[in-house]
Amino acid sequence: MAYRRFNQNLTERLFWDSGSIIVMVYALIPVAWIISLSLKRGADLNDHRFFPATVSFEHYQAIFQDPQFPAALWNSVGIGAISTLLAVLLAMFAAYAIVRLEFPGKRLILSGALAVAMFPPIAIMGPLFNLWRQIGLFDTWLGLILPYMTFTLPLAIWTLSTFFREIPWDLDKAARVDGATPFQAFCKVIVPLAAPGVFTAAILVFIFAWNDFLFAMSLTSTTQARTVPAAIAFFAGTSRFELPTGSIAAASVVVTLPIVVIVLIFQRRIVAGLTAGAVKG
Amino acid sequence: MNSRGKAERRLGWLLCAPAVITMGAVTVYPILYALWLSLHRYDLRFPADRSFVGLSNYWSVLNSELWWQTLGNTLIITAGSVSVELVLGFCLALVMHRVIFARSLVRATLLIPYGMITVVAALAWKFAFDPTTGFVNALLNLEGAWLTERWSAFFVIILTEIWKTTPFMALLLLAGLTLVPEDLLKAARVDGASAMQRFFKITLPLMKSTILVALLFRTLDAFRIFDTVFIQTRGAHGTETVSMTGYNALIVRLNLGLGSAVSVLIFIAVVIIAVLFIKGFGASIVQQEGEK
């Protein structure tokens, strides 16, 4: 009996462990493929092999010599960072109020945010395009930051209010009884407790802004504000002698790596944030 | 009401105002403006021709074969990707739930597709299936230009969507799985229930609301698909989706009137999908909302 039981557990373990290896292969194949493509020499691009025969960095040199790509990278970083900062700041105010204060309209704000999260962005593209041209926001950083904030605020508010709800706010009172000023109590007690939630919301917002393609395609026209996803899509149009597959692959790797690193470092928090908004909420 | 309550109310509104105003300004106002635009003949290439035309833009869109075809395409992609994602996502969630070896590594790896830019994922799969650059044909010993025919192009598009978003589904389902009490499963096992029975009789019913929320979000998300189709086929070979039709009318052809009619119709379609979900099996979603 004991032997049979051990055996069953072993088979089960083997089953789930091989499952986990399959899962990892599944997740990594396209990433490995685009990295390998970016490292192939121009002449080897069409050799139908998964891994490069000879490793070369020529495509990386090429994209950084072309002025378009560094400009787009700068736009992506800048627009992503500012959108994240603003969205998280506004969401923090709102989430704090929703969790801590009693006022009518709380539920309305939460369900309104949910509705915005389900909103199809294409439905407002015409008006935004027209408005942005008229008031001078077309092809500017602010012109992208505003929609990014709008579409990430719901996620940020939901995530933050779930996190804030779990903070023991009585600690704040306790610190004040012990002689801390309200400001000290807030900075020394509440901020450290809230930091992980704020950080999670920030990562989720940044990933959204970094990933967006539709707004970047519709609301920009030059290197002034065009972000990397849109710039990569236009690489194809500026081909000189052949389709710039190698450059596209190299540019793809450059925009993917920072996100992959962030995701790997903060995976626990990202999972917590994603599931807080959708399952518990 | 006492003054403290009043002050709290004011502060509450004050703190929420910036977020609410931003969301309202960039969604509510533009959708109303889109409604207004959709009732006009308004083509940016012929700005002098602007005039009120009532519902004639809607009439043109709804009478065009293109609209119904693209709507059909969008529904095919949505149904194809979301249904596979649910099953595959469940498998991945179960693996992550049960696995002992390298647990956090598996989770971290699975987040990579979520973090990867959709455009890059679309390009990676496009290059993989490309007859000159790709490895897929060599691997399967096939010759064929996958993205130049409707159904094989759908296959690649749906595969890309599945690869990219299944991890999201899997993580939501995993969160739901952890809510299923382990004791219940153990008891069922002692009573002789098979793995299948345990899954269908215990796990699945307890996860109903998680599944519905995940399905609703993924369906609405899949319905607005744009990036993958744009990168892989640009809507050629009968793969155009409704978001692409809207983009083409608005941004490529600069026809704000007609394009806005398309946008409003997409908006209505999304509302219909959401209402169907919430009405159809919504009790659990609403209940979950209320429990907070």
Side-chain angles (χ1 to χ4, degrees):
Chain A
M1 179 71 197
Y3 174 73
R4 231 189 89 202
R5 197 165 164 74
F6 170 77
N7 218 2
Q8 190 189 13
N9 283 343
L10 194 72
T11 352
E12 253 179 58
R13 260 203 75 167
L14 269 176
F15 178 77
W16 294 118
D17 285 352
S18 46
S20 75
I21 290 167
I22 296 172
V23 170
M24 288 199 278
V25 171
Y26 163 90
L28 286 174
I29 278 186
V31 187
W33 162 241
I34 202 98
I35 292 175
S36 122
L37 205 54
S38 74
L39 293 172
K40 284 184 181 182
R41 289 181 309 180
D44 296 344
L45 278 173
N46 297 338
D47 65 1
H48 301 284
R49 293 162 57 113
F50 191 89
F51 293 107
T54 322
V55 170
S56 125
F57 290 93
E58 58 182 89
H59 303 301
Y60 290 91
Q61 281 172 345
I63 54 165
F64 280 103
Q65 273 157 12
D66 185 326
Q68 268 187 59
F69 182 70
L73 202 58
W74 169 238
N75 290 335
S76 267
V77 171
I79 293 171
I82 298 173
S83 309
T84 306
L85 202 72
L86 290 175
V88 170
L89 197 68
L90 298 197
M92 250 163 70
F93 293 151
Y96 177 84
I98 287 166
V99 172
R100 293 284 289 154
L101 304 173
E102 247 347 290
F103 63 100
K106 265 160 79 156
R107 294 220 160 269
L108 194 68
I109 292 170
L110 277 177
S111 36
L114 199 64
V116 172
M118 297 178 180
F119 198 88
I122 188 73
I124 53 164
M125 212 45 90
L128 279 192
F129 177 71
N130 206 25
L131 262 176
W132 273 198
R133 275 182 337 116
Q134 282 163 2
I135 58 178
L137 284 180
F138 183 75
D139 203 21
T140 63
W141 279 25
L142 190 61
L144 285 182
I145 289 170
L146 278 174
Y148 291 170
M149 281 172 64
T150 304
F151 282 96
T152 53
L153 271 171
L155 187 64
I157 293 175
W158 277 86
T159 316
L160 282 175
S161 38
T162 325
F163 272 99
F164 283 1
R165 222 167 257 138
E166 273 155 29
I167 293 177
W169 293 94
D170 288 341
L171 284 180
D172 175 66
K173 262 186 225 150
R176 273 194 258 174
V177 171
D178 288 346
T181 65
F183 183 71
Q184 277 177 326
F186 187 77
C187 290
K188 297 241 161 108
V189 179
I190 298 303
V191 171
L193 287 173
V198 173
F199 205 72
T200 305
I203 295 172
L204 296 178
V205 172
F206 189 78
I207 289 180
F208 177 94
W210 192 254
N211 186 27
D212 168 74
F213 181 59
L214 183 58
F215 288 110
M217 284 289 286
S218 309
L219 302 177
T220 67
S221 60
T222 64
T223 52
Q224 206 192 325
R226 184 169 281 161
T227 55
V228 175
I232 290 179
F234 280 111
F235 267 8
T238 57
S239 79
R240 291 163 198 107
F241 308 105
E242 52 190 310
L243 196 72
T245 309
S247 308
I248 293 177
S252 301
V253 173
V254 173
V255 291
T256 305
L257 284 185
I259 288 291
V260 167
V261 171
I262 293 178
V263 159
L264 289 181
I265 297 176
F266 301 110
Q267 50 112 352
R268 247 167 231 288
R269 294 200 175 150
I270 298 174
V271 172
L274 284 178
T275 49
V279 179
K280 280 185 224 146
Chain B
M1 180 176 289
N2 59 25
S3 65
R4 212 187 137 225
K6 243 187 210 153
E8 194 169 308
R9 227 165 97 167
R10 263 238 311 277
L11 183 64
W13 281 336
L14 212 66
L15 286 174
C16 288
V20 171
I21 291 169
T22 313
M23 288 192 285
V26 187
T27 55
V28 179
Y29 175 69
I31 193 75
L32 294 176
Y33 188 27
L35 265 172
W36 185 85
L37 283 171
S38 70
L39 301 174
H40 290 76
R41 185 189 308 133
Y42 189 0
D43 191 323
L44 284 178
R45 289 168 307 174
F46 313 105
D49 270 355
R50 216 167 121 180
S51 62
F52 181 80
V53 292
L55 293 174
S56 99
N57 284 325
Y58 290 96
W59 185 248
S60 320
V61 175
L62 292 174
N63 264 322
S64 73
E65 221 173 282
L66 181 74
W67 162 257
W68 294 107
Q69 209 211 328
T70 55
L71 187 66
N73 293 343
T74 314
L75 292 174
I76 291 173
I77 295 174
T78 306
S81 55
V82 176
S83 56
V84 177
E85 275 166 35
L86 180 65
V87 177
L88 194 61
F90 236 117
C91 298
L92 298 191
L94 284 171
V95 168
M96 285 191 287
H97 192 52
R98 290 284 165 225
V99 77
I100 305 151
F101 154 78
R103 191 176 198 153
S104 62
L105 186 69
V106 176
R107 273 201 206 187
T109 322
L110 202 61
L111 272 175
I112 290 174
Y114 169 78
M116 198 170 178
I117 295 181
T118 317
V119 167
V120 171
L123 283 166
W125 287 109
K126 183 188 178 181
F127 290 148
F129 280 92
D130 190 284
T132 50
T133 334
F135 66 89
V136 173
N137 277 351
L139 196 71
L140 300 175
N141 223 343
L142 283 174
E143 296 207 10
W146 294 75
L147 289 164
T148 58
E149 256 169 82
R150 186 157 182 250
W151 290 105
S152 55
F154 271 145
F155 175 78
V156 179
I157 290 168
I158 292 175
L159 177 79
T160 307
E161 282 289 292
I162 292 172
W163 178 79
K164 166 91 178 114
T165 49
T166 303
F168 175 74
M169 182 77 103
L171 289 170
L172 294 191
L173 295 175
L174 177 64
L177 270 178
T178 54
L179 301 178
V180 177
E182 200 67 27
D183 292 348
L184 210 59
L185 293 173
K186 269 202 194 118
R189 187 181 239 180
V190 171
D191 289 344
S194 69
M196 276 293 178
Q197 283 172 323
R198 292 198 303 264
F199 180 75
F200 283 104
K201 296 261 159 81
I202 300 172
T203 309
L204 219 48
L206 282 171
M207 288 182 62
K208 196 178 153 216
S209 61
T210 311
I211 295 172
L212 286 176
V213 172
L215 272 184
L216 172 64
F217 269 85
R218 274 302 308 141
T219 304
L220 292 179
D221 208 31
F223 189 78
R224 8 179 223 221
I225 179 171
F226 177 79
D227 309 17
T228 306
V229 180
F230 187 95
I231 292 293
Q232 293 188 335
T233 64
R234 306 243 158 175
H237 316 297
T239 57
E240 190 169 315
T241 62
V242 285
S243 284
M244 284 221 62
T245 311
Y247 173 84
N248 285 335
L250 290 167
I251 310 296
V252 180
R253 286 196 289 278
L254 300 174
N255 192 332
L256 291 187
L258 210 59
S260 294
V262 171
S263 301
V264 172
L265 288 172
I266 295 174
F267 179 70
I268 293 171
V270 164
V271 172
I272 291 175
I273 294 176
V275 168
L276 280 181
F277 257 96
I278 293 167
K279 281 251 152 100
F281 0 64
S284 54
I285 297 178
V286 177
Q287 188 193 345
Q288 214 187 18
E289 292 266 314
E291 274 168 10
K292 272 187 331 272

